Amino acid sequence: MRIKLDDNHYLNSDQYCYWITCEFINDKGKLLERRVSGYKPTIDTAVESYIDKRINTSEAVKITQLANDVKKLKKDIKTWKICLEAI
């Protein structure tokens, strides 16, 4: 399965697990795809893994910056909710 979540994120699955990938264009202009969550047994845990990874890799040096990163992340994930409710 491969379901588009937003402009460049996809929910993927096989018979064993779920994971999220992100499409991006590299320096040479080639479209590539990167896994941005862990391989997880449920959709919910795949999304949680994505959230944890984004927060843990934040480059914030002040709590206000981290708070802004979390707000943006929540906003992005809320747009996915419409997609995920259809599953």
Side-chain angles (χ1 to χ4, degrees):
M1 169 182 75
R2 180 176 159 95
I3 296 173
K4 189 171 185 135
L5 297 171
D6 63 19
D7 291 340
N8 57 345
H9 288 91
Y10 293 86
L11 175 66
N12 304 276
S13 73
D14 61 18
Q15 61 192 18
Y16 303 109
C17 62
Y18 298 88
W19 65 96
I20 297 171
T21 56
C22 179
E23 288 184 339
F24 65 98
I25 298 174
N26 69 2
D27 297 337
K28 297 179 182 178
K30 184 175 179 181
L31 181 65
L32 300 174
E33 187 170 21
R34 178 183 315 152
R35 185 175 50 83
V36 293
S37 79
Y39 294 106
K40 299 295 179 176
T42 67
I43 294 170
D44 290 343
T45 55
V47 173
E48 287 172 11
S49 171
Y50 173 77
I51 292 167
D52 289 344
K53 186 174 183 178
R54 289 282 306 273
I55 291 171
N56 291 338
T57 59
S58 171
E59 294 181 6
V61 293
K62 294 182 179 181
I63 193 69
T64 54
Q65 292 171 317
L66 181 59
N68 287 334
D69 288 350
V70 170
K71 280 183 190 177
K72 183 182 180 321
L73 182 57
K74 283 182 180 182
K75 182 179 175 185
D76 293 344
I77 298 297
K78 283 180 184 178
T79 66
W80 296 2
K81 185 177 180 185
I82 294 167
C83 301
L84 295 174
E85 286 177 350
I87 297 173

